Amino acid sequence: MIDSLIDKIEALQNPTVVGLDPRLSFVPEHIKKEAYEAYGKTPKAASGAFLRFNQEIIDAVHDLVPAVKPQIAMYEQYGAEGIQAYIDTIQYAKKKGLIIIGDIKRSDIASTAEAYADGHIGEVKIEEKSYTIYQEDTITLNPYLGSDSIEPYLGHCKNYSKGLFILVKTSNPNSGEIQDLEIEGKKLYERIGKMVDTWGKDLVGERGYSAIGAVVGATHPQQAAELRRIMPKTYFLVPGYGAQGATAKDLKNYFNKDGLGAIINSSRGIIAAHQKDLYKNQYKEKEFALAARAAVLDMKEDLQQIF
Amino acid sequence: MIDSLIDKIEALQNPTVVGLDPRLSFVPEHIKKEAYEAYGKTPKAASGAFLRFNQEIIDAVHDLVPAVKPQIAMYEQYGAEGIQAYIDTIQYAKKKGLIIIGDIKRSDIASTAEAYADGHIGEVKIEEKSYTIYQEDTITLNPYLGSDSIEPYLGHCKNYSKGLFILVKTSNPNSGEIQDLEIEGKKLYERIGKMVDTWGKDLVGERGYSAIGAVVGATHPQQAAELRRIMPKTYFLVPGYGAQGATAKDLKNYFNKDGLGAIINSSRGIIAAHQKDLYKNQYKEKEFALAARAAVLDMKEDLQQIF
């Protein structure tokens, strides 16, 4: 997984991840109208509108970026039909050659974690038959329960060539309340960074990076420098660029000297670009996917400043 | 929410929660056979078998316990059809008068947490229409991201009379790796206990307990005593009784002197009772629901020792 991700980042010269976090307010009227005409103003219509919206975005950006990151909450809120749209989005993006980062942030005790691991990055067995259900390539997890809550996923990463990004230092304003607490002179997020480094030791790929990555918010460049030292072989998934306020010049610390080590996510900044002043004069609402493509190209250019 | 829960606990003289964490290995052959004949050995069949299994258990125990706790991972692993079985299980249990604790352990930044909160304990809006999707009465959450990740749910608890149980000290063997770290002489779980107490201050019901509860594993009786002092108005959801090794004598510390303050979950010990030596001579496999009822009555008797 991690080697394919790095190969794609290098081939495209772009460490951008497009966050597929749709909201009805982002979806153009013509897509919503068609969905409502078919299914009424229902969760099924909303889910169908999300899928079509995502498909057009994926069509417009799949040759520019290595990966997409669907946020499962946006789909899960609509129930079973929402979950189906999440799965269908993943299928569509995979067919277009994209790597899938499932932003699920799950956490549970080992016996329960096994069920999440089977469904998301392994296979579920029904008697002699096996099914791969969600088919993400890598997923985000929350570490608060400790090693035994992560271990079932580590086994699957080995057996199914999958990856993880574990929450270390998140991008939200109150992330410090717990994550920055000091333990014997070190911050909790540093301690967890070391744990992630350890969990990833047996899963280092040919390019020197582990399949077990870390989530480190773009809003914490100083902490990123420390974490980069603690976790030299860990890939960072970096949310918070754009809408959450971080800019390219904040991002240098997230990368290693080889120019690798981080992927930068943007969600709203790309998928809702057609609603931003910068793009809405150039693109009609129906051209939302072209606006997304333009936003990806602008972000790529912006990120060049890092190196 | 919390007042109704307490009223039911008192009326039934039973603080037991039945964990609805089905696995195919727990489901009797005749139910699986019927599901496979209708749908093949598919995720749809597995989900249908779970629903029927749960319905019979609910029928057999709904007059004995105040609440059930479906674990969403067991359903989510089967995709959209699994999620539908989770939702249908909740609907069925609600009709039988049970309080629903959705064991979802979600965690995310505020803008994403809003989507989880809308879907699980609020309503999703599709233009002028509103839908209540999952309809749990209360859900479990992971606090690692801090206050702003919890706030969207607090608003919904007020507006929709719902509740939360926030992970403080979990029941798994490695829970201490992060949760027991020492910060200025106090353990992290104590710090989080204080945060939960604060989050719950505006949501205290008529009986003196808050709608914002805490998850405190049954495997940590000493820590429970400290937490009971730190969080006098917080209801504890206590997993780990039975299959995870805790017994009734370990549970005294989880309760206040009023005999309230904790609900004790058992999953496998009840829903897979028909496979335990204690019950399998008395009940045929087809009588799995009667075995579950017997296990609930035995657990109720066991818990009487606490007081």
Side-chain angles (χ1 to χ4, degrees), chain A residues 39-172:
Chain A
Y39 304 113
K41 290 169 182 168
T42 60
K44 184 168 185 172
S47 305
F50 279 7
L51 177 59
R52 189 167 147 213
F53 177 74
N54 289 342
Q55 286 171 331
E56 289 199 40
I57 302 261
I58 290 165
D59 286 345
V61 306
H62 76 277
D63 59 328
L64 300 177
V65 298
V68 289
K69 181 175 75 63
Q71 164 54 261
I72 198 170
M74 297 306 170
Y75 308 85
E76 180 176 316
Q77 66 177 324
Y78 293 113
E81 284 146 345
I83 290 293
Q84 192 58 53
Y86 176 77
I87 292 172
D88 292 344
T89 294
I90 291 171
Q91 290 305 311
Y92 192 84
K94 280 180 95 82
K95 273 190 202 144
K96 297 281 172 173
L98 289 160
I99 288 171
I100 314 297
I101 303 169
D103 200 353
I104 66 173
K105 298 191 182 71
R106 298 303 190 241
S107 64
D108 221 304
I109 63 169
S111 58
T112 304
E114 274 169 30
Y116 281 131
D118 288 348
H120 285 280
I121 56 169
E123 51 193 337
V124 296
K125 297 209 168 80
I126 300 171
E127 310 300 330
E128 72 280 8
K129 298 208 171 189
S130 297
Y131 296 88
T132 52
I133 305 289
Y134 292 91
Q135 298 189 31
E136 296 101 331
D137 296 299
T138 172
I139 51 176
T140 57
L141 295 179
N142 180 316
Y144 184 64
L145 277 75
S147 295
D148 56 350
S149 77
I150 302 295
E151 272 153 22
Y153 301 95
L154 298 179
H156 280 36
C157 287
K158 205 169 277 187
N159 297 334
Y160 300 99
S161 298
K162 302 280 186 170
L164 305 174
F165 286 102
I166 294 169
L167 300 185
V168 171
K169 177 67 183 154
T170 57
S171 60
N172 57 310

Side-chain angles (χ1 to χ4, degrees), chain A residues 36 41 76 105-108 120 127 131 134 142-145 147-148 168 172-174 177 179 195, chain B residues 36 41 76 105 107-108 116 120 127 131 134 142 144-145 147-148 168 172-174 177-179 195:
Chain A
Y36 297 152
K41 290 169 182 168
E76 180 176 316
K105 298 191 182 71
R106 298 303 190 241
S107 64
D108 221 304
H120 285 280
E127 310 300 330
Y131 296 88
Y134 292 91
N142 180 316
Y144 184 64
L145 277 75
S147 295
D148 56 350
V168 171
N172 57 310
N174 291 161
E177 275 179 16
Q179 298 161 26
M195 291 169 73
Chain B
Y36 296 153
K41 290 169 181 168
E76 180 176 316
K105 298 190 181 71
S107 64
D108 221 304
Y116 281 130
H120 285 279
E127 309 301 329
Y131 297 88
Y134 293 90
N142 180 316
Y144 184 64
L145 277 75
S147 295
D148 56 350
V168 170
N172 57 310
N174 291 162
E177 275 180 15
I178 295 172
Q179 298 161 26
M195 291 169 72

Side-chain angles (χ1 to χ4, degrees), chain B residues 12-26:
Chain B
L12 298 166
Q13 287 292 300
N14 194 1
T16 297
V17 176
V18 176
L20 296 174
D21 307 18
R23 293 163 188 272
L24 282 176
S25 59
F26 299 166

